[in-house]
Amino acid sequence: MPSSTASPWLRPLTVLFVCFFSCFVHLGAPEVNLMEARNFTAAREMVAGGSWLIPTMNGALRVAKPPLPTWAVAAVELVTGPTQNPGILRLPAACMTTLLVFFFWGLARTLVRNVPGETEDPGRTAWLATLVLASSLLVITVGREGHWDIFANSLLVGALWALARGWFAAGAGWGWFTLSGLLLGASMLSKGPVAPYAVLLPFLASFGVTRFYPERGPLRPRRFQLLLALVLGLAVGTAWPIYLSVQHTVAPAAMAVARVEVTSWAERHVQPFWDYWNFPVFTGIWTPVALVVLAVPFARNRAGRYVPYRAALAWLLLAFLLLSLVPEKKERYLLPLMPPLALLIGGLLRHLETVMRQQVRPHLDARLVRIWAGLLAVACCLFPVVLIFMKLPPYGPGSVPFAVTLVAFLLLAVAIVRWGFRQYQVPVLMASSITAMALLLSVLAPAYPLWTNRKADPGLRHIQELRQNPVLASLPWYTLEELHVKRIWDAGRATPLWPRTPDSVLVKPRGPVALLSGSIPASTFKKLPLAWRHQVRLQVVDSFYLDRRRKDGRWLVTLITPIEAE
């Protein structure tokens, strides 16, 4: 019997509601991280008059990553005007995360269309899997950051959705395969071949094999459509690198950057092969169910009634293997594992909620539900205690935020114990899990910057405050040493290295310039070319600290003025 959530509008609204909390609530709270600083700085320079096809970062060539995510941020700045507000600049990533969720929903509906349990409540399994993905920890953390990974993975999942729709289309499906090729190319314009390697290849090797997914049908009738999608994807995805290769002024530098990026996979952030073994915990609140669904003897027949278990498991494990083979490992690189894992979890949730309605409940299934409910209830009770130990003034005992948090989580724990633990109502456990994640984001997101700054030295002046100095407003800014890109972003303007002649000699300034340096004036003076060292006047006009603590370093801002310009 179809459930009450089968309404054509209620399920999409529920997904949008979860995406709102996962992607948009307190979006601007965390400070800009390193990867975001690079992307935002390049976008700022595009809008300020730089090239959209040959991006720069701090005035230097920036071709280490494809430009589509930077274009998206720059487009936002064209609409809103130049801004340093990270919440606004992260909007493209948040929207792309929402798009990932809906792409996955369409893909899941297509993949489960012929499984035996789909007739019991059409569309519910895909909907549950979508809610799992939208509330998974890694999707939330990566999806709220304005850089490349969420764009590449979202667009690639969209390509898979269009590919599946085209494959099962009543007609030739040319439009769907064309859309799939365009999305594949857009994914490559976001992060090169990374997503095709970690998402597309494992998907084709699992759902493209009749042993794992018999519903696939014969390959021959769709061979030309598949060729179209592949050729179109490669044409779009390689258009930008080809453009760079024919630009004689940047081609050598672009090739050098490409070689560095390739070698970095084997030389930077190197971790052992087994480093990703804990990937189920990145589902966050769904970790207990994720661990159980990977227990093949238990989950195969249970979840297999509602999802193509063998194909989805093969997709997950092949993606895990391909990612593990790459020496460079970071947590956000696990994002390709979340869609297949969410699909498997959705199948097991459908099984559990179905069998728990029966008068005679299977013993193992009932025990699993009780363990899950117990863990959820304990977590809800412990969170207010964690807030106390964090010792953040706005969230301390007696404050309004703490009181609201305490009441909300205790009520949630009571509901879990009463209807989940005692009455085995799996929908209550699912709703409680999603609600708990929404509450955590509502409470912890604004607390995060307070936590990171809890040990900061008070009263420090930072680089963003230089923008208020009228002496520096109209001057070019230079450095003699590399300034961290996060500080460049904070500065609100390009602060490149002092220009040099072809033989690496500093170019004499024609007018006053501001020099940002960690050196004292006497040392700075000695770094100037001897030929014009005595033709300029140096004056310290400001200073700033590099980070939250004095010990992290202090830089001086020196006004360098040619004497003849005075």
Side-chain angles (χ1 to χ4, degrees), residues 8-69:
W9 57 267
L10 185 57
R11 285 178 178 173
L13 285 180
T14 307
V15 174
L16 283 173
F17 181 77
V18 175
C19 287
F20 171 73
F21 278 94
S22 296
C23 305
F24 296 95
V25 170
H26 300 303
L27 186 59
E31 67 177 29
V32 172
N33 61 37
L34 172 61
M35 301 302 292
E36 289 181 309
R38 290 170 176 166
N39 195 27
F40 295 169
T41 300
R44 181 175 66 197
E45 295 183 17
M46 283 182 180
V47 176
S51 172
W52 286 60
L53 291 177
I54 307 177
T56 60
M57 185 179 72
N58 200 34
L61 189 66
R62 173 61 179 170
V63 293
K65 296 289 190 295
L68 193 148

Side-chain angles (χ1 to χ4, degrees), residues 42 66 69 207 210 237 247 265 277 286 355 366 368 401 424 443 445 512 515 520 536:
F207 283 92
T210 54
Q247 301 298 310
W265 279 38
W277 68 271
W286 304 105
V355 299
L368 170 61
Y424 302 95
V443 174
L515 177 65
I520 61 175
V536 296

Side-chain angles (χ1 to χ4, degrees), residues 285-286 372 376 412 416 428-438:
I285 54 175
W286 304 105
W372 180 20
L376 274 177
L412 202 57
I416 292 169
V428 171
L429 296 181
M430 292 187 285
S432 299
S433 298
I434 294 172
T435 303
M437 179 55 73

Side-chain angles (χ1 to χ4, degrees), residues 310-529:
R310 288 189 299 174
L313 183 65
W315 180 14
L316 174 68
L317 296 181
L318 286 172
F320 172 75
L321 176 62
L322 291 179
L323 290 171
S324 298
L325 290 174
V326 178
E328 183 185 20
K329 294 178 174 64
K330 297 179 182 179
E331 291 180 356
R332 69 174 185 271
Y333 293 172
L334 288 172
L335 193 58
L337 303 184
M338 294 301 106
L341 188 53
L343 184 62
L344 291 169
I345 293 173
L348 186 58
L349 292 176
R350 279 285 289 121
H351 164 78
L352 291 175
E353 70 171 1
T354 300
V355 299
M356 289 302 107
R357 296 194 192 104
Q358 301 173 4
Q359 294 296 325
V360 180
R361 303 181 178 95
H363 175 69
L364 285 178
D365 301 74
R367 177 173 292 184
L368 170 61
V369 170
R370 279 204 155 187
I371 293 173
W372 180 20
L375 291 174
L376 274 177
V378 170
C380 288
C381 292
L382 286 179
F383 180 67
V385 179
V386 173
L387 271 186
I388 295 175
F389 281 99
M390 288 176 67
K391 296 181 179 179
L392 298 175
Y395 297 90
S399 66
V400 173
F402 179 81
V404 172
T405 302
L406 178 64
V407 172
F409 276 95
L410 288 182
L411 288 176
L412 202 57
V414 170
I416 292 169
V417 171
R418 179 175 179 179
W419 288 289
F421 188 84
R422 294 181 178 178
Q423 299 183 19
Y424 302 95
Q425 293 190 22
V426 175
V428 171
L429 296 181
M430 292 187 285
S432 299
S433 298
I434 294 172
T435 303
M437 179 55 73
L439 287 172
L440 283 172
L441 288 169
S442 301
V443 174
L444 285 185
Y448 180 76
L450 297 175
W451 175 257
T452 55
N453 286 293
R454 68 192 186 281
K455 296 182 179 180
D457 293 334
L460 299 187
R461 184 173 176 83
H462 293 99
I463 193 170
Q464 50 265 43
E465 298 175 64
L466 299 183
R467 288 176 283 176
Q468 310 303 321
N469 190 327
V471 176
L472 306 175
S474 60
L475 300 181
W477 295 7
Y478 295 118
T479 65
L480 292 178
E481 54 213 287
E482 287 288 347
L483 182 63
H484 197 282
V485 68
K486 291 179 67 174
R487 304 290 80 81
I488 294 169
W489 166 250
D490 291 337
R493 57 184 295 175
T495 310
L497 292 170
W498 194 298
R500 295 174 180 268
T501 63
D503 53 351
S504 297
V505 177
L506 297 179
V507 176
K508 181 183 176 181
R510 296 179 179 272
V513 300
L515 177 65
L516 282 60
S517 174
S519 306
I520 61 175
S523 300
T524 302
F525 189 79
K526 293 178 180 179
K527 295 178 182 178
L528 302 181

